[in-house]
Amino acid sequence: MKKVGKKRKHAETIPEPKKELVAEERPKRTLLGWKDKPVVNENEAVAPTFRNKEKVLITSSRRINYRYRHLMLNLVSLLPHCKKDSKVESKATKGATLNELVELRSCSSCLFFECRKHKDLYLWMTKSPSGPSIKFLVNAVHTMEELKLTGNHLNGSRPLLSFTTNFDKDAHWKLIKEMITQIFGTPKDHRKQKPYYDHVFVFSIVDGHIWFRNYQISCPHTGADKIDRGGLEKMTLIEVGPRFCLNPIKIFGGSFGGPTLYENPLYISPNQIRALEKKKKSGKFAQKVKAKTRRRMHEMSNPLEQDEFADMWKD
Amino acid sequence: MVVHKGRKVVNKGSKVSDKEAVKDAEIEDLDVEVSDQDLESEDLDVEDSDQDLESEDLDVEVSDQDLKSEDLDVEVSDQDSESEEDEGDAKPNAPPQKAVYDRAGLLDKLGDVSWPENVEWLHKLTLNFSQEKEVDVNDDLNRELAFYTQALDSTREAFMKFESMDMPFLRPSDYYAEMVKSDNHMEKVRGRLLAEKRRIEEAEERRKARENKKMSKDIQAQKLRERAKEKKNEIESVKKWRKQRQQSGFAGNGKDTDIGLSFEDGNTFERSNKKRPGVHPGDRSGGKARQGAGKGKPGADKKRKGRDFKESKYGFGGRKGMKKQNTAETTNDMRDFSKSFSKNKKRKT
């Protein structure tokens, strides 16, 4: 890891780190003589400087829907630290392929949009190479192209990430929150990043699903970087999009595979839902037949009494 | 009790199917059971009927899933008891009995993945927002409102932090850079907004016109009423005056009559100065010419020479006939007589 920190001249930390490094080398010269004060990273002694070097690979499966493809492209435009790759065949061995791909593109995480049957979108959120990976079902998709969403913001400014507190309730939510923070947050001092903060991502758990919203922050201010209370009060948000809703299905230990760590007990696959609907519709005729036969049975078992006045008017 | 019913029904169903000799006995059985339970669910207990509903109409809606799946859980447990006695006709879409939850593994992974503890907030930019009350997912408006308030609250918090850190965070108005949405797209958005605004305005106008139409009838009626009332008042006052005169025995030949009569203040017999709508400017009954004459102000003379007056008299608009004939006003109008003549007369006498 490359260490970049504020370089400062430090007197106390001279002895230990200097010894091995500089013993053989000639001390550096300056114009006026030997450079006697060594330059040592300040934070090195305390803790390694943290530098976020997250890179996200974004790709999709083949035969993806246009709507979902647009969603993917929206995310590409929102995450300046991502790399987009060509589509990947979605088959049993896609895990290995994707892992390879992630490594090839030297990314540390991956968002894989898997579309099945042209209607169901699954999202894989993966840390590479050692996992974990989360599989979501994506519903309620609205892309940024929709004209209802009128906001706009800088391409590449860092988003604020707002989470509801119920992300801290359970282990799996905590893990998901951490992953989202890493993947959706733009690394500080990333080269494509733009200064200023003009949009906010909202992640909210409602009803066991994670809802995503993206708002532009529009704040009246007078050029200076001070905003008073009134400015904060007057601040409004305009939705930029996209919108989607993630339903966690499973969490795996490895990247695109590995032991299952979590399984959503409430998850019902869209296939099942469709099958049920179909079945519900299909039973109509059978039910009618059943009802008819039952009626006949009933009539046979309880015959009507002979009506004594039946042939009254016959003659 | 529930189980018994179920079994009975199944037997019945199988009997039926035997009689009917339908092909697939097993499927029939299942179907019969479902349908019969539906029909007879009145005598089953409430929970069971709920189940039926549940298994029958699983909605696609995401939002309902939570509730439903809770019910499904109940169902599962019930099914267990059923299957023990009834050789398992478990429904195909039951959720997995035991969902995996490896808490230790999850926390372990979390430890692996997460950034060191003492990372500055500027790296993460995460904000937490505690939602006080439950949000109903089906209520679109409230749900979106909840998200909005969350975003707003978090943004405020973040901005306070930025401000305390004393770093620039607001985009200056002269900072231009590439935006997420292209100008082309924003133009479209603006067009749509404008179109929407226009549509609303037009609708509003139409509504107003409709209302005016309704109102115009009322206004007309009110005018008529007013006029009738005025007329009545005048007649009354004349009657009163007559009565008074009679009582006083026609004594005062004119000076006494002035007392307390409303029409005596001169307003009643004078025509109103208001220009009547729909009357041409040259019309004697209410046109411009009349207005000028009626006022009798010193400025009126001057006004007469104006273009308007000339036009009204000689040319544009209005009725052309009767213009040169005398009216009550013109006969009373003595302005054209030379004053010197009368003065001389006075001097002589």
Side-chain angles (χ1 to χ4, degrees), chain A residues 130 207 213 261 290 294, chain B residues 28 39 66 102 109 144:
Chain A
S130 58
D207 193 25
R213 293 287 181 272
L261 300 179
K290 286 282 104 60
R294 211 175 40 244
Chain B
E28 274 307 316
L39 286 169
D66 196 30
D102 184 359
K109 273 291 164 198
E144 293 306 319

Side-chain angles (χ1 to χ4, degrees), chain A residues 130 144 149 153 155 158 161-163 165 170 172 207 209 213 227 232 253 261 276 290 293-294, chain B residues 20 28 36 39 58 62-63 66 93 100-103 109 122 127 129 144 154 156 163 178 180-181:
Chain A
S130 58
M144 229 151 67
L149 308 171
H153 59 76
N155 189 3
R158 300 182 64 206
L161 305 171
S162 162
F163 293 91
T165 37
D170 225 334
H172 67 283
D207 193 25
H209 301 244
R213 293 287 181 272
I227 43 169
L232 278 182
L261 300 179
L276 270 175
K290 286 282 104 60
T293 51
R294 211 175 40 244
Chain B
E20 286 268 307
E28 274 307 316
D36 282 358
L39 286 169
L58 248 175
V62 187
S63 38
D66 196 30
N93 42 21
V100 180
Y101 198 98
D102 184 359
R103 193 179 297 272
K109 273 291 164 198
L122 266 182
L127 299 146
F129 174 80
E144 293 306 319
S154 324
R156 279 189 187 136
E163 208 159 26
E178 195 193 348
V180 179
K181 291 176 181 172

Side-chain angles (χ1 to χ4, degrees), chain B residues 36-102:
Chain B
D36 282 358
Q37 266 185 8
D38 257 359
L39 286 169
E40 292 178 11
S41 56
E42 307 103 290
D43 17 337
L44 304 185
D45 45 354
V46 182
E47 198 188 70
D48 206 333
S49 67
D50 270 354
Q51 264 180 40
D52 275 350
L53 274 177
E54 202 39 59
S55 57
E56 291 294 304
D57 45 353
L58 248 175
D59 226 335
V60 195
E61 284 210 19
V62 187
S63 38
D64 285 356
Q65 270 182 15
D66 196 30
L67 259 179
K68 256 165 204 163
S69 37
E70 271 174 31
D71 286 357
L72 274 177
D73 280 353
V74 176
E75 188 187 10
V76 169
S77 58
D78 278 5
Q79 266 181 6
D80 280 353
S81 62
E82 214 170 334
S83 60
E84 276 163 23
E85 296 171 35
D86 225 20
E87 65 248 15
D89 48 344
K91 274 151 199 162
N93 42 21
Q97 309 283 324
K98 264 192 223 155
V100 180
Y101 198 98
D102 184 359

Side-chain angles (χ1 to χ4, degrees), chain B residues 194-206:
Chain B
L194 285 180
E196 211 161 86
K197 204 175 153 195
R198 208 178 315 130
R199 214 175 52 227
I200 289 170
E201 268 172 13
E202 271 167 17
E204 186 80 5
E205 237 160 62
R206 274 201 302 276

Side-chain angles (χ1 to χ4, degrees), chain B residues 252-264:
Chain B
N253 264 348
K255 274 163 197 168
D256 285 357
T257 53
D258 290 359
I259 307 155
L261 294 184
S262 62
F263 66 96
E264 279 295 310

